[in-house]
Amino acid sequence: MSADRFDAKAHAEKFGQAEGEGIIRCDACPVLCRIRPGRAGACSRYANEGGRLVRTDPAVALARTLDAGGRAVAFAEGEWDGRLLDPARVFVTGIGAGTTYPDYKPAPFIVGAQHAGVDTVTVVTEGMFSYCGVKVKIDTDRHLGPEAAAVRAQGEQVGHVTTAEYGSQMLSLGGVRHLTGGSKREGVVTCETLLALSNGAAVELTIDGGHAVIVQAGQPPIVDGTPERRMRVGCGSATVGIFAQQWLGEADEVIVVDDHITGVLSEHQAGKVLGMRPSGIRVRGRRSTPGRYFQVAAPGLGWGGTDITDPLAIIERIDPKLAWPGLRLLLTSTTGEDALWCVLDEQLRPIPAGMPAKVRAVVDRIGENCEPSLCTVLFMAGAGGSLRAGVTGNPVLLTRSVAAGETRVTMGGAPCYVWPGGGITVMTDVLRLPRNAFGHVPTPALVAPIEFTLPRALYERLGGHMAEILPLETLIAGLGGQMRIEGWQPDNPWPFPRR
Ligand code: SF4
Protein backbone atom coordinates (compact mmCIF):
# COMPACT_ATOMS: atom_id res chain seq x y z
CA MET A 1 0.00 0.00 0.00
CA SER A 2 1.22 3.52 -0.73
CA ALA A 3 -0.09 6.87 -1.91
CA ASP A 4 -0.06 7.42 -5.66
CA ARG A 5 0.01 11.21 -5.67
CA PHE A 6 1.26 14.05 -3.52
CA ASP A 7 -1.73 15.83 -2.01
CA ALA A 8 -0.46 19.34 -1.22
CA LYS A 9 -3.62 20.31 0.68
CA ALA A 10 -3.58 17.21 2.88
CA HIS A 11 0.15 17.71 3.41
CA ALA A 12 -0.34 21.32 4.59
CA GLU A 13 -3.08 20.16 6.95
CA LYS A 14 -0.56 17.95 8.72
CA PHE A 15 0.92 21.16 10.12
CA GLY A 16 -2.08 23.43 10.74
CA GLN A 17 -5.78 24.16 10.45
CA ALA A 18 -7.76 27.12 9.12
CA GLU A 19 -9.52 29.13 11.81
CA GLY A 20 -11.53 31.59 9.73
CA GLU A 21 -10.70 35.13 8.52
CA GLY A 22 -7.74 33.64 6.73
CA ILE A 23 -6.00 32.79 10.00
CA ILE A 24 -4.30 29.41 10.28
CA ARG A 25 -3.37 27.78 13.56
CA CYS A 26 0.04 26.13 13.22
CA ASP A 27 0.03 22.74 14.95
CA ALA A 28 3.67 21.96 14.33
CA CYS A 29 4.65 22.63 17.95
CA PRO A 30 2.86 23.24 21.25
CA VAL A 31 3.07 27.04 20.84
CA LEU A 32 0.11 26.78 18.39
CA CYS A 33 0.68 30.13 16.67
CA ARG A 34 -2.33 31.75 15.01
CA ILE A 35 -0.84 33.08 11.82
CA ARG A 36 -2.47 35.76 9.70
CA PRO A 37 -2.13 35.79 5.90
CA GLY A 38 1.29 36.96 4.78
CA ARG A 39 2.78 36.50 8.27
CA ALA A 40 5.09 33.93 9.81
CA GLY A 41 4.80 32.11 13.16
CA ALA A 42 6.94 32.75 16.23
CA CYS A 43 9.78 30.53 15.01
CA SER A 44 9.67 31.88 11.42
CA ARG A 45 9.60 28.28 10.20
CA TYR A 46 5.97 28.37 9.06
CA ALA A 47 4.03 31.09 7.30
CA ASN A 48 0.51 31.68 6.08
CA GLU A 49 0.78 32.00 2.32
CA GLY A 50 -2.58 32.86 0.83
CA GLY A 51 -4.48 30.80 3.40
CA ARG A 52 -2.18 27.80 3.18
CA LEU A 53 0.39 26.97 5.84
CA VAL A 54 3.82 26.54 4.29
CA ARG A 55 7.24 25.70 5.63
CA THR A 56 9.33 28.81 4.96
CA ASP A 57 12.49 26.87 4.03
CA PRO A 58 12.55 24.41 1.16
CA ALA A 59 12.81 20.71 1.89
CA VAL A 60 16.35 19.55 1.19
CA ALA A 61 17.30 16.41 -0.70
CA LEU A 62 20.89 15.31 -1.22
CA ALA A 63 22.15 13.84 -4.48
CA ARG A 64 25.07 11.51 -4.92
CA THR A 65 26.69 11.92 -8.32
CA LEU A 66 29.79 10.43 -9.83
CA ASP A 67 32.50 12.16 -11.77
CA ALA A 68 34.29 10.70 -14.78
CA GLY A 69 36.68 8.87 -12.47
CA GLY A 70 33.83 7.23 -10.61
CA ARG A 71 34.32 9.38 -7.53
CA ALA A 72 31.48 11.06 -5.68
CA VAL A 73 31.29 14.80 -6.37
CA ALA A 74 29.05 17.53 -5.01
CA PHE A 75 25.90 18.31 -6.92
CA ALA A 76 25.41 21.98 -7.72
CA GLU A 77 22.78 23.60 -5.54
CA GLY A 78 19.54 24.52 -7.22
CA GLU A 79 16.00 23.51 -7.86
CA TRP A 80 15.43 20.16 -9.37
CA ASP A 81 12.49 18.96 -11.42
CA GLY A 82 13.01 15.32 -10.60
CA ARG A 83 14.13 14.25 -14.07
CA LEU A 84 17.78 15.19 -13.99
CA LEU A 85 19.03 12.50 -11.69
CA ASP A 86 18.54 8.84 -11.08
CA PRO A 87 16.22 8.61 -8.02
CA ALA A 88 18.45 5.84 -6.68
CA ARG A 89 21.10 8.53 -6.05
CA VAL A 90 18.80 10.82 -4.06
CA PHE A 91 18.19 10.98 -0.34
CA VAL A 92 15.41 13.13 1.12
CA THR A 93 16.52 14.69 4.41
CA GLY A 94 14.46 16.03 7.28
CA ILE A 95 15.77 19.55 6.63
CA GLY A 96 12.76 21.72 5.84
CA ALA A 97 10.41 18.72 6.05
CA GLY A 98 8.36 20.11 8.93
CA THR A 99 7.14 18.51 12.14
CA THR A 100 3.86 16.69 12.56
CA TYR A 101 3.13 17.51 16.18
CA PRO A 102 1.66 15.78 18.11
CA ASP A 103 3.31 12.80 16.59
CA TYR A 104 0.38 10.43 16.26
CA LYS A 105 0.18 11.95 12.79
CA PRO A 106 2.46 10.22 10.29
CA ALA A 107 5.79 11.94 9.65
CA PRO A 108 5.80 14.68 6.98
CA PHE A 109 7.46 12.50 4.34
CA ILE A 110 7.51 8.73 4.16
CA VAL A 111 9.51 8.12 1.03
CA GLY A 112 9.65 4.89 -0.94
CA ALA A 113 12.48 4.14 -3.34
CA GLN A 114 14.38 1.21 -4.81
CA HIS A 115 18.06 0.89 -3.98
CA ALA A 116 20.18 -1.94 -5.34
CA GLY A 117 17.01 -3.90 -6.00
CA VAL A 118 15.72 -3.46 -2.44
CA ASP A 119 12.47 -1.62 -1.77
CA THR A 120 13.31 0.88 0.96
CA VAL A 121 11.45 3.42 3.02
CA THR A 122 12.87 6.58 4.55
CA VAL A 123 10.75 8.25 7.21
CA VAL A 124 11.64 11.93 7.25
CA THR A 125 10.83 14.58 9.82
CA GLU A 126 12.17 17.52 11.76
CA GLY A 127 12.28 16.35 15.35
CA MET A 128 11.67 18.78 18.20
CA PHE A 129 14.18 18.06 20.90
CA SER A 130 13.86 19.33 24.46
CA TYR A 131 16.24 16.58 25.49
CA CYS A 132 19.27 17.68 23.53
CA GLY A 133 22.59 19.37 23.82
CA VAL A 134 26.05 19.48 22.34
CA LYS A 135 29.27 17.88 23.45
CA VAL A 136 32.19 20.16 22.63
CA LYS A 137 35.79 19.00 22.30
CA ILE A 138 38.30 21.84 22.41
CA ASP A 139 41.82 20.90 21.37
CA THR A 140 43.94 22.78 23.89
CA ASP A 141 46.14 22.14 26.87
CA ARG A 142 45.38 25.53 28.31
CA HIS A 143 43.33 25.49 31.45
CA LEU A 144 39.88 26.73 30.47
CA GLY A 145 38.32 26.23 33.89
CA PRO A 146 37.88 23.67 36.67
CA GLU A 147 36.03 20.43 36.03
CA ALA A 148 32.28 20.82 36.75
CA ALA A 149 32.52 24.65 36.55
CA ALA A 150 29.57 26.48 35.02
CA VAL A 151 29.87 27.43 31.34
CA ARG A 152 28.02 30.61 30.48
CA ALA A 153 26.78 32.38 27.38
CA GLN A 154 25.48 35.95 27.69
CA GLY A 155 25.86 35.48 31.47
CA GLU A 156 23.50 32.50 31.68
CA GLN A 157 24.66 29.01 32.58
CA VAL A 158 24.29 26.82 29.51
CA GLY A 159 26.39 23.86 30.55
CA HIS A 160 29.49 22.76 32.43
CA VAL A 161 33.09 21.75 32.05
CA THR A 162 33.49 18.00 31.97
CA THR A 163 36.57 15.79 31.62
CA ALA A 164 39.89 16.72 30.11
CA GLU A 165 40.73 14.21 27.41
CA TYR A 166 44.05 13.58 25.70
CA GLY A 167 45.01 17.07 24.53
CA SER A 168 41.44 18.33 24.63
CA GLN A 169 39.01 19.87 27.07
CA MET A 170 35.40 18.69 26.91
CA LEU A 171 32.32 20.81 27.59
CA SER A 172 28.78 19.55 27.96
CA LEU A 173 26.27 22.20 26.89
CA GLY A 174 22.50 22.29 26.88
CA GLY A 175 20.36 19.45 28.13
CA VAL A 176 16.82 19.58 29.36
CA ARG A 177 17.71 21.14 32.72
CA HIS A 178 19.12 24.29 31.16
CA LEU A 179 16.49 24.39 28.41
CA THR A 180 13.45 23.99 30.63
CA GLY A 181 14.45 23.69 34.28
CA GLY A 182 15.81 27.19 34.97
CA SER A 183 14.60 30.72 34.27
CA LYS A 184 12.98 31.62 30.97
CA ARG A 185 16.09 33.58 29.95
CA GLU A 186 18.36 30.62 30.77
CA GLY A 187 16.26 28.43 28.48
CA VAL A 188 16.23 30.99 25.68
CA VAL A 189 19.98 31.62 25.83
CA THR A 190 20.70 27.89 26.01
CA CYS A 191 18.55 27.33 22.95
CA GLU A 192 20.28 30.16 21.06
CA THR A 193 23.70 28.81 22.01
CA LEU A 194 22.91 25.27 20.91
CA LEU A 195 21.35 26.50 17.68
CA ALA A 196 24.36 28.65 16.79
CA LEU A 197 26.89 25.93 17.57
CA SER A 198 24.89 23.27 15.74
CA ASN A 199 24.61 25.49 12.68
CA GLY A 200 28.37 26.02 12.64
CA ALA A 201 28.44 29.57 14.04
CA ALA A 202 30.92 30.95 16.58
CA VAL A 203 29.81 31.40 20.21
CA GLU A 204 31.66 33.12 23.03
CA LEU A 205 31.55 31.16 26.27
CA THR A 206 32.92 32.06 29.69
CA ILE A 207 33.82 29.58 32.38
CA ASP A 208 33.40 30.32 36.09
CA GLY A 209 36.83 30.46 37.71
CA GLY A 210 38.42 30.13 34.27
CA HIS A 211 38.61 31.85 30.95
CA ALA A 212 36.67 33.02 27.91
CA VAL A 213 36.70 30.83 24.83
CA ILE A 214 35.19 31.33 21.40
CA VAL A 215 34.00 28.01 20.04
CA GLN A 216 33.08 27.23 16.43
CA ALA A 217 32.86 23.76 14.92
CA GLY A 218 35.87 23.01 12.75
CA GLN A 219 37.74 26.19 13.79
CA PRO A 220 40.55 26.77 16.31
CA PRO A 221 39.38 27.78 19.78
CA ILE A 222 40.18 31.37 20.77
CA VAL A 223 41.13 31.50 24.45
CA ASP A 224 41.01 34.96 26.06
CA GLY A 225 41.40 36.49 22.60
CA THR A 226 44.32 34.30 21.49
CA PRO A 227 43.69 31.67 18.79
CA GLU A 228 45.04 28.27 19.77
CA ARG A 229 47.31 26.83 17.10
CA ARG A 230 48.69 23.48 18.15
CA MET A 231 47.26 20.45 19.90
CA ARG A 232 49.94 18.90 22.09
CA VAL A 233 51.98 16.00 20.72
CA GLY A 234 51.19 14.03 23.87
CA CYS A 235 51.45 14.41 27.63
CA GLY A 236 54.88 15.28 29.09
CA SER A 237 55.68 11.64 29.69
CA ALA A 238 54.63 10.63 26.16
CA THR A 239 56.69 13.48 24.67
CA VAL A 240 59.74 12.19 26.56
CA GLY A 241 59.05 8.71 25.25
CA ILE A 242 58.59 9.84 21.63
CA PHE A 243 61.73 12.01 21.40
CA ALA A 244 64.12 10.41 23.93
CA GLN A 245 66.28 8.78 21.28
CA GLN A 246 66.61 12.04 19.36
CA TRP A 247 67.77 13.93 22.47
CA LEU A 248 70.30 11.29 23.46
CA GLY A 249 73.79 12.78 23.30
CA GLU A 250 72.43 16.28 22.60
CA ALA A 251 71.07 17.08 26.08
CA ASP A 252 71.88 15.71 29.56
CA GLU A 253 68.38 16.35 30.86
CA VAL A 254 65.03 17.23 29.29
CA ILE A 255 62.00 18.36 31.26
CA VAL A 256 58.70 18.42 29.34
CA VAL A 257 56.37 20.72 31.26
CA ASP A 258 52.76 19.54 31.30
CA ASP A 259 49.90 20.27 33.65
CA HIS A 260 48.90 16.62 33.69
CA ILE A 261 52.15 14.60 33.60
CA THR A 262 55.49 16.39 33.47
CA GLY A 263 58.26 14.18 32.11
CA VAL A 264 61.91 14.17 33.26
CA LEU A 265 64.02 12.30 30.73
CA SER A 266 66.99 10.88 32.68
CA GLU A 267 64.71 9.52 35.41
CA HIS A 268 61.99 8.32 32.99
CA GLN A 269 61.96 4.72 31.80
CA ALA A 270 62.95 6.00 28.34
CA GLY A 271 66.12 7.59 29.74
CA LYS A 272 66.88 4.53 31.85
CA VAL A 273 66.63 2.20 28.85
CA LEU A 274 68.94 4.51 26.90
CA GLY A 275 71.45 4.42 29.79
CA MET A 276 71.27 8.13 30.65
CA ARG A 277 73.14 9.39 33.71
CA PRO A 278 70.86 10.75 36.49
CA SER A 279 70.97 14.57 36.44
CA GLY A 280 69.94 15.15 40.06
CA ILE A 281 67.37 17.72 38.94
CA ARG A 282 64.17 17.26 40.92
CA VAL A 283 60.99 19.01 39.78
CA ARG A 284 58.14 20.12 42.01
CA GLY A 285 54.94 18.15 42.30
CA ARG A 286 53.95 14.62 43.18
CA ARG A 287 56.04 11.84 41.71
CA SER A 288 53.76 9.22 40.18
CA THR A 289 56.37 6.84 38.78
CA PRO A 290 60.03 7.50 37.92
CA GLY A 291 60.32 10.55 35.65
CA ARG A 292 56.55 11.25 35.69
CA TYR A 293 55.27 14.07 37.92
CA PHE A 294 51.73 15.28 38.64
CA GLN A 295 50.79 18.79 39.81
CA VAL A 296 54.10 20.54 39.13
CA ALA A 297 52.20 23.85 39.16
CA ALA A 298 48.69 25.22 39.11
CA PRO A 299 46.70 24.94 35.86
CA GLY A 300 46.73 28.04 33.67
CA LEU A 301 47.46 29.53 30.27
CA GLY A 302 51.26 29.19 30.55
CA TRP A 303 53.67 26.41 29.59
CA GLY A 304 51.95 23.05 28.95
CA GLY A 305 48.62 24.16 30.43
CA THR A 306 50.23 25.21 33.71
CA ASP A 307 50.38 28.75 35.11
CA ILE A 308 54.14 28.72 34.61
CA THR A 309 55.74 31.48 32.57
CA ASP A 310 59.26 30.97 34.03
CA PRO A 311 59.94 27.24 33.50
CA LEU A 312 62.85 27.23 35.95
CA ALA A 313 60.23 27.77 38.68
CA ILE A 314 59.32 24.09 38.53
CA ILE A 315 62.81 22.97 39.57
CA GLU A 316 62.58 22.15 43.27
CA ARG A 317 66.26 21.32 43.86
CA ILE A 318 69.42 20.20 42.12
CA ASP A 319 71.33 17.46 43.93
CA PRO A 320 75.05 18.44 44.04
CA LYS A 321 76.01 14.78 44.43
CA LEU A 322 74.53 13.95 41.03
CA ALA A 323 74.51 17.16 38.93
CA TRP A 324 77.65 18.62 37.39
CA PRO A 325 78.81 21.97 36.02
CA GLY A 326 78.19 22.15 32.28
CA LEU A 327 75.11 19.88 32.47
CA ARG A 328 72.95 20.69 29.42
CA LEU A 329 69.26 21.09 30.27
CA LEU A 330 66.30 21.51 27.90
CA LEU A 331 62.90 22.61 29.16
CA THR A 332 60.05 22.45 26.66
CA SER A 333 56.28 22.48 26.53
CA THR A 334 54.27 19.65 24.98
CA THR A 335 53.72 21.65 21.78
CA GLY A 336 57.28 22.96 21.42
CA GLU A 337 55.86 26.51 21.38
CA ASP A 338 57.79 27.25 24.59
CA ALA A 339 61.35 25.99 25.03
CA LEU A 340 64.43 27.05 27.02
CA TRP A 341 67.99 25.78 26.83
CA CYS A 342 70.21 26.11 29.93
CA VAL A 343 73.66 25.01 31.03
CA LEU A 344 74.54 24.55 34.73
CA ASP A 345 77.30 26.88 35.95
CA GLU A 346 79.92 26.12 38.60
CA GLN A 347 77.35 26.69 41.37
CA LEU A 348 74.99 24.30 39.53
CA ARG A 349 72.63 27.13 38.63
CA PRO A 350 70.81 26.75 35.28
CA ILE A 351 71.94 29.61 33.05
CA PRO A 352 69.94 30.26 29.84
CA ALA A 353 72.03 29.90 26.69
CA GLY A 354 71.61 29.73 22.94
CA MET A 355 69.93 26.48 21.92
CA PRO A 356 72.10 24.21 19.75
CA ALA A 357 70.75 23.61 16.25
CA LYS A 358 70.31 19.85 16.76
CA VAL A 359 68.25 20.41 19.90
CA ARG A 360 66.22 23.12 18.18
CA ALA A 361 65.49 20.66 15.38
CA VAL A 362 63.95 18.21 17.87
CA VAL A 363 61.90 20.97 19.50
CA ASP A 364 60.70 21.97 16.05
CA ARG A 365 59.81 18.35 15.39
CA ILE A 366 57.54 18.41 18.47
CA GLY A 367 55.70 21.28 16.79
CA GLU A 368 55.65 19.45 13.47
CA ASN A 369 53.97 16.48 15.18
CA CYS A 370 51.23 18.59 16.71
CA GLU A 371 47.91 18.54 14.92
CA PRO A 372 46.01 21.81 14.42
CA SER A 373 43.78 22.75 17.36
CA LEU A 374 40.12 22.58 16.46
CA CYS A 375 36.72 22.67 18.11
CA THR A 376 34.44 19.69 17.51
CA VAL A 377 30.70 19.96 18.14
CA LEU A 378 28.57 16.82 18.43
CA PHE A 379 24.81 17.28 18.62
CA MET A 380 23.17 14.78 20.96
CA ALA A 381 19.45 14.16 21.35
CA GLY A 382 16.87 11.67 22.50
CA ALA A 383 14.66 10.50 19.63
CA GLY A 384 12.98 7.77 21.63
CA GLY A 385 9.81 9.72 22.49
CA SER A 386 6.63 10.59 20.64
CA LEU A 387 8.55 11.24 17.43
CA ARG A 388 8.51 7.48 16.95
CA ALA A 389 4.73 7.49 16.52
CA GLY A 390 5.21 9.42 13.29
CA VAL A 391 7.14 6.38 12.08
CA THR A 392 5.06 3.48 13.39
CA GLY A 393 1.98 2.76 15.44
CA ASN A 394 4.06 0.50 17.70
CA PRO A 395 7.05 2.67 18.68
CA VAL A 396 8.96 0.10 20.71
CA LEU A 397 9.43 -1.95 17.55
CA LEU A 398 11.25 1.01 15.98
CA THR A 399 13.46 1.36 19.07
CA ARG A 400 14.38 -2.32 18.92
CA SER A 401 15.00 -2.19 15.19
CA VAL A 402 17.33 0.82 15.56
CA ALA A 403 19.15 -0.92 18.42
CA ALA A 404 19.56 -4.02 16.29
CA GLY A 405 21.02 -1.95 13.46
CA GLU A 406 18.25 -2.90 11.01
CA THR A 407 16.94 0.65 10.78
CA ARG A 408 19.54 3.28 9.97
CA VAL A 409 19.24 6.66 11.68
CA THR A 410 20.66 9.75 10.01
CA MET A 411 20.33 13.47 10.68
CA GLY A 412 20.32 15.52 7.52
CA GLY A 413 22.02 12.52 5.91
CA ALA A 414 24.82 12.55 8.49
CA PRO A 415 25.58 9.24 10.19
CA CYS A 416 24.55 9.02 13.84
CA TYR A 417 26.11 7.13 16.67
CA VAL A 418 23.25 5.41 18.51
CA TRP A 419 24.00 4.90 22.17
CA PRO A 420 23.59 1.33 23.38
CA GLY A 421 20.93 0.67 25.99
CA GLY A 422 17.38 1.98 26.06
CA GLY A 423 15.81 4.68 23.94
CA ILE A 424 17.12 6.16 20.71
CA THR A 425 19.86 8.47 21.96
CA VAL A 426 21.81 9.72 18.98
CA MET A 427 24.91 11.80 18.49
CA THR A 428 26.24 13.35 15.29
CA ASP A 429 29.00 15.66 14.13
CA VAL A 430 27.33 18.94 13.12
CA LEU A 431 29.84 19.46 10.30
CA ARG A 432 28.52 16.38 8.50
CA LEU A 433 25.10 17.97 8.01
CA PRO A 434 24.35 20.65 5.42
CA ARG A 435 24.83 24.15 6.89
CA ASN A 436 21.91 25.67 8.84
CA ALA A 437 20.14 22.33 9.14
CA PHE A 438 18.97 23.12 12.68
CA GLY A 439 16.13 25.34 13.82
CA HIS A 440 14.29 26.07 17.03
CA VAL A 441 10.87 26.65 18.51
CA PRO A 442 10.18 28.96 21.44
CA THR A 443 9.07 26.22 23.84
CA PRO A 444 12.28 26.28 23.89
CA ALA A 445 13.59 23.32 21.96
CA LEU A 446 15.91 22.59 19.08
CA VAL A 447 14.54 21.36 15.79
CA ALA A 448 16.77 18.90 13.97
CA PRO A 449 16.31 16.80 10.86
CA ILE A 450 16.10 13.06 11.42
CA GLU A 451 15.57 10.19 9.01
CA PHE A 452 14.92 6.48 9.56
CA THR A 453 15.81 4.26 6.60
CA LEU A 454 14.86 0.59 6.41
CA PRO A 455 13.66 -2.07 3.98
CA ARG A 456 10.00 -1.70 3.09
CA ALA A 457 9.18 -5.23 4.26
CA LEU A 458 10.66 -4.47 7.66
CA TYR A 459 8.75 -1.19 7.80
CA GLU A 460 5.54 -3.12 7.32
CA ARG A 461 6.48 -5.55 10.10
CA LEU A 462 7.16 -2.61 12.45
CA GLY A 463 3.60 -1.36 11.95
CA GLY A 464 4.67 1.52 9.71
CA HIS A 465 2.25 3.96 8.09
CA MET A 466 2.17 2.04 4.79
CA ALA A 467 -0.62 4.10 3.22
CA GLU A 468 1.55 7.21 3.58
CA ILE A 469 4.51 5.91 1.58
CA LEU A 470 5.08 8.14 -1.39
CA PRO A 471 7.40 7.17 -4.24
CA LEU A 472 10.37 9.52 -4.35
CA GLU A 473 9.61 10.73 -7.87
CA THR A 474 5.99 11.51 -6.91
CA LEU A 475 7.09 13.45 -3.85
CA ILE A 476 9.59 15.53 -5.78
CA ALA A 477 7.19 16.24 -8.60
CA GLY A 478 4.55 17.26 -6.04
CA LEU A 479 6.86 19.54 -4.08
CA GLY A 480 8.20 21.26 -7.18
CA GLY A 481 10.05 24.45 -6.20
CA GLN A 482 9.60 23.71 -2.50
CA MET A 483 12.47 21.22 -2.71
CA ARG A 484 16.15 22.11 -3.01
CA ILE A 485 18.82 19.66 -3.97
CA GLU A 486 22.35 19.78 -2.60
CA GLY A 487 25.38 17.57 -3.01
CA TRP A 488 25.81 14.51 -0.82
CA GLN A 489 28.84 14.82 1.49
CA PRO A 490 31.07 12.14 -0.01
CA ASP A 491 32.57 11.12 3.34
CA ASN A 492 29.14 10.30 4.79
CA PRO A 493 28.13 6.64 4.36
CA TRP A 494 25.28 6.21 1.87
CA PRO A 495 22.25 5.09 3.95
CA PHE A 496 21.02 2.69 1.28
CA PRO A 497 22.45 -0.46 -0.28
CA ARG A 498 24.69 0.66 -3.18
CA ARG A 499 24.34 -0.58 -6.67
S1 SF4 B 1 6.46 28.40 16.95
FE1 SF4 B 1 6.74 27.75 14.83
S2 SF4 B 1 6.25 25.57 14.82
FE2 SF4 B 1 5.51 26.39 16.74
S3 SF4 B 1 3.36 26.84 16.33
FE3 SF4 B 1 4.53 28.73 15.95
S4 SF4 B 1 4.99 28.69 13.75
FE4 SF4 B 1 4.35 26.63 14.34
Side-chain angles (χ1 to χ4, degrees):
M1 234 184 343
S2 65
D4 56 4
R5 69 182 181 90
F6 179 73
D7 185 337
K9 184 167 175 287
H11 184 70
E13 284 171 356
K14 281 184 170 180
F15 309 118
Q17 299 295 326
E19 284 204 333
E21 297 173 21
I23 295 172
I24 303 179
R25 190 194 67 221
C26 176
D27 292 339
C29 93
V31 176
L32 301 177
C33 294
R34 298 178 72 246
I35 308 175
R36 295 188 174 280
R39 306 295 291 269
C43 67
S44 302
R45 294 171 58 241
Y46 293 87
N48 182 338
E49 205 177 85
R52 197 162 64 97
L53 192 65
V54 296
R55 183 72 176 80
T56 49
D57 306 300
V60 173
L62 302 174
R64 201 166 57 93
T65 59
L66 301 181
D67 68 9
R71 292 167 304 219
V73 294
F75 184 83
E77 281 189 26
E79 289 176 6
W80 181 45
D81 67 2
R83 288 169 299 181
L84 300 179
L85 279 174
D86 176 357
R89 302 201 187 286
V90 176
F91 179 77
V92 179
T93 75
I95 303 167
T99 310
T100 45
Y101 177 86
D103 296 290
Y104 61 77
K105 297 185 232 173
F109 303 133
I110 301 181
V111 187
Q114 262 229 346
H115 291 268
V118 179
D119 276 332
T120 65
V121 171
T122 301
V123 181
V124 173
T125 189
E126 285 181 302
M128 272 190 299
F129 296 106
S130 302
Y131 290 85
C132 74
V134 294
K135 307 298 176 204
V136 180
K137 171 174 165 282
I138 301 172
D139 300 336
T140 183
D141 269 349
R142 300 193 202 286
H143 176 70
L144 299 181
E147 195 164 304
V151 177
R152 297 182 188 276
Q154 302 172 46
E156 295 291 335
Q157 185 174 358
V158 297
H160 63 274
V161 176
T162 173
T163 49
E165 300 301 339
Y166 204 77
S168 309
Q169 178 61 62
M170 309 296 290
L171 307 181
S172 179
L173 307 183
V176 71
R177 196 177 69 78
H178 292 299
L179 278 168
T180 68
S183 67
K184 183 172 181 188
R185 183 172 148 75
E186 179 179 333
V188 168
V189 172
T190 299
C191 191
E192 284 175 12
T193 303
L194 297 180
L195 182 63
L197 287 170
S198 300
N199 278 335
V203 171
E204 175 156 14
L205 302 168
T206 55
I207 297 172
D208 287 5
H211 299 271
V213 57
I214 296 177
V215 172
Q216 183 173 14
Q219 298 296 319
I222 301 173
V223 182
D224 283 353
T226 305
E228 188 65 291
R229 292 191 307 126
R230 294 181 192 170
M231 188 177 179
R232 70 179 182 178
V233 68
C235 69
S237 172
T239 308
V240 161
I242 293 168
F243 295 101
Q245 185 92 51
Q246 298 175 45
W247 280 315
L248 187 65
E250 307 301 334
D252 299 308
E253 185 61 282
V254 178
I255 298 171
V256 182
V257 181
D258 175 25
D259 178 45
H260 302 139
I261 309 173
T262 287
V264 180
L265 175 59
S266 71
E267 188 190 339
H268 192 276
Q269 182 68 4
K272 288 269 191 300
V273 170
L274 292 170
M276 287 188 72
R277 176 179 167 186
S279 70
I281 299 176
R282 172 68 155 91
V283 299
R284 297 184 190 283
R286 180 161 67 83
R287 193 169 95 144
S288 160
T289 54
R292 299 170 71 256
Y293 289 83
F294 299 159
Q295 299 152 16
V296 294
L301 301 185
W303 283 49
T306 69
D307 63 349
I308 281 179
T309 50
D310 171 13
L312 296 176
I314 70 161
I315 296 179
E316 189 175 78
R317 63 178 183 274
I318 297 179
D319 185 345
K321 293 203 252 343
L322 295 173
W324 63 95
L327 185 151
R328 299 163 301 167
L329 168 65
L330 172 69
L331 298 114
T332 179
S333 68
T334 47
T335 59
E337 285 167 307
D338 296 300
L340 179 70
W341 178 255
C342 293
V343 177
L344 298 197
D345 68 5
E346 291 300 321
Q347 283 77 47
L348 301 179
R349 291 174 306 196
I351 306 297
M355 189 177 296
K358 284 188 175 170
V359 176
R360 167 58 62 192
V362 183
V363 171
D364 288 347
R365 186 164 286 178
I366 295 177
E368 186 187 329
N369 275 270
C370 293
E371 293 169 83
S373 287
L374 294 175
C375 299
T376 309
V377 177
L378 299 188
F379 178 76
M380 182 165 165
S386 62
L387 181 154
R388 295 174 299 168
V391 183
T392 162
N394 196 357
V396 73
L397 297 183
L398 175 69
T399 307
R400 288 178 193 151
S401 175
V402 167
E406 301 162 335
T407 295
R408 178 165 284 186
V409 187
T410 49
M411 300 187 91
C416 294
Y417 175 76
V418 181
W419 282 72
I424 304 176
T425 303
V426 292
M427 202 158 69
T428 192
D429 178 353
V430 301
L431 290 182
R432 301 186 84 159
L433 283 80
R435 266 316 256 279
N436 295 320
F438 292 81
H440 84 290
V441 288
T443 54
L446 266 274
V447 176
I450 188 162
E451 306 93 26
F452 299 90
T453 299
L454 65 168
R456 185 185 175 113
L458 173 61
Y459 189 53
E460 188 155 24
R461 287 205 300 279
L462 298 187
H465 304 295
M466 302 304 288
E468 297 284 328
I469 298 173
L470 209 55
L472 177 67
E473 300 89 324
T474 310
L475 173 68
I476 289 171
L479 281 175
Q482 290 166 39
M483 174 161 273
R484 194 177 71 215
I485 188 131
E486 295 186 11
W488 178 261
Q489 277 202 34
D491 53 346
N492 282 345
W494 188 235
F496 303 107
R498 285 177 187 256
R499 65 176 188 187

